[in-house]
Amino acid sequence: MKIWLNGGLRDVDSARVSVLDHGLTVGDGIFETVKSVEGRTFALTRHLARLARSARGLGLPEPDLDEVRRACAAVLEANPLPLGRLRITYTGGLSPLGSDRGDQGTTLIVALGEASRRPDSTAVITVPWTRNERGALTGLKTTSYAENVVALARAHEQGASEALFANTVGQLCEGTGSNVFVVVDGEILTPPVTSGCLAGITRELAVEWTGARESDLPMDVLERADEIFLTSTLRDVQGVHRVDGRQLPEAPGPMTTKAMRTFDERAADDLDP
C-alpha cells in the first residue's frame, strides 16, 4: 500500500508524521472521505470544496486543491481497488505542545482503504449525547472525532451500525458519520444544516435528486416516521429497519427504494456531479 504524504507517494510502512503534529496532539485537522469505484472518484469536486470550507472555518491555510487532486490520482493509480475509501487528511502540521499552531507548514495525507457495498438496510440507535449546533466546529469536517468513536461503539454494542444524535434543543440532527432522512405522510424530510448536522455531500445530492425538504424535526419523529434512511459517502442511500426497539419490517420502504435507485442511476451517469 502506498499513501501520499507531503508531496509524494510513500510506502505505508515508511511514511512518518511527527508525534508533534497538531492533528495528533490536539485534533487540529480536517478530512474528507471520497468513494472510489475502479480507480475513479465520485463527487470529488464537491468534496474538495467542502475541504476548503472546513480549512477556512478552522483557520488553516487553504489547501492547494490541485495538489490534492494530484495526490488522489497518484494514490488511486498505485493501489488498484474495485471499491475504495479515499481519505484526505489535512492538519495544522508540526506545532508546539498546546493549542497554539506552529509555523512549519501543514500536513497533507491521502490514503486508500478497501470498502465493500453496504446492506440495503441497517439498524441504528439514539444516544443521550448531543450535537452543539452553536459550536465553533459546527458544520466543519474535522479530525476531532472522539465523540463519534464513543457513540459508534455504543451502537455496535447494541447490534447497530450507526448512532443518531439530537442537538441541544432536542431536534434530530445526524449520525456519527451519516445524515438522516425520514418519510412522513409521503414526504421525504431531513434536518437542515442549522440543526448542527454536517452538510454531507451525499445528503446534498439526495436532496437535489429526490426533492427532499429540510425541516426542523423533533427526535420523536423516529417513533412515527413511515420510513427512515441514512446517507453517507460509502452508504449512498441506506434504509433503516430498526431504531432502538422499533422495527420497520418493510425496510427499505417504497420511497427509500426509489431514492436508492435514483441515486444509483444519477451517480452512474455523472461521477462528478
Side-chain angles (χ1 to χ4, degrees), residues 15 40 66 79 119 160 163 180 240 273:
R40 301 176 68 190
D66 289 335
N79 306 285
V180 58
V240 171

Side-chain angles (χ1 to χ4, degrees), residues 179-252:
N179 292 107
V180 58
F181 290 70
V182 297
V183 177
V184 178
D185 296 331
E187 186 175 19
I188 303 175
L189 305 172
T190 192
V193 293
T194 53
S195 71
C197 69
L198 183 71
I201 302 303
T202 309
R203 171 193 179 278
E204 184 176 65
L205 291 170
V207 168
E208 292 178 15
W209 292 347
T210 69
R213 180 169 64 86
E214 293 185 341
S215 177
D216 290 324
L217 300 167
M219 282 297 286
D220 67 8
V221 73
L222 298 173
E223 301 171 10
R224 52 188 171 83
D226 300 313
E227 301 176 41
I228 303 168
F229 63 84
L230 306 176
T231 61
S232 73
T233 290
L234 291 173
R235 294 176 190 266
D236 293 333
V237 176
Q238 183 182 37
V240 171
H241 60 252
R242 175 169 64 85
V243 182
D244 294 327
R246 183 194 177 201
Q247 296 287 337
L248 290 84
E250 297 183 7

Side-chain angles (χ1 to χ4, degrees), residues 5-218:
L5 174 61
N6 289 340
L9 287 173
R10 313 281 183 88
D11 290 328
V12 67
D13 291 335
S14 61
R16 296 289 183 268
V17 174
S18 171
V19 295
L20 298 180
D21 190 281
H22 230 209
L24 173 65
T25 56
V26 298
D28 179 25
I30 57 176
F31 76 99
E32 287 291 323
T33 298
V34 182
K35 181 173 68 173
S36 68
V37 181
E38 299 295 346
R40 301 176 68 190
T41 55
F42 177 70
L44 181 60
T45 297
R46 293 188 190 230
H47 279 285
L48 294 185
R50 188 173 64 182
L51 185 77
R53 291 198 303 272
S54 293
R56 290 193 296 270
L58 206 58
L60 289 169
E62 189 153 334
D64 181 341
L65 298 185
D66 289 335
E67 180 189 5
V68 178
R69 283 185 180 274
R70 290 194 299 272
C72 291
V75 169
L76 288 168
E77 183 178 4
N79 306 285
L81 288 175
L83 182 63
R85 175 197 297 263
L86 188 68
R87 161 81 181 225
I88 304 164
T89 306
Y90 183 71
T91 80
L94 184 64
S95 301
L97 293 173
S99 297
D100 289 325
R101 289 195 178 114
D103 57 5
Q104 302 299 303
T106 55
T107 297
L108 174 65
I109 304 165
V110 179
L112 183 68
E114 190 170 7
S116 57
R117 180 173 170 81
R118 82 303 183 256
D120 285 343
S121 71
T122 191
V124 303
I125 66 166
T126 56
V127 290
W129 311 294
T130 59
R131 290 293 203 223
N132 181 3
E133 69 278 8
R134 296 175 296 170
L137 302 184
T138 300
L140 309 181
K141 196 169 180 67
T142 76
T143 57
S144 300
Y145 243 50
E147 186 176 71
N148 292 326
V149 172
V150 172
L152 189 58
R154 172 75 65 89
H156 291 162
E157 289 169 2
Q158 298 185 25
S161 75
E162 182 60 300
L164 301 181
F165 294 90
N167 62 16
T168 64
V169 294
Q171 296 169 336
L172 180 62
C173 187
E174 65 178 350
T176 67
S178 68
N179 292 107
V180 58
F181 290 70
V182 297
V183 177
V184 178
D185 296 331
E187 186 175 19
I188 303 175
L189 305 172
T190 192
V193 293
T194 53
S195 71
C197 69
L198 183 71
I201 302 303
T202 309
R203 171 193 179 278
E204 184 176 65
L205 291 170
V207 168
E208 292 178 15
W209 292 347
T210 69
R213 180 169 64 86
E214 293 185 341
S215 177
D216 290 324
L217 300 167

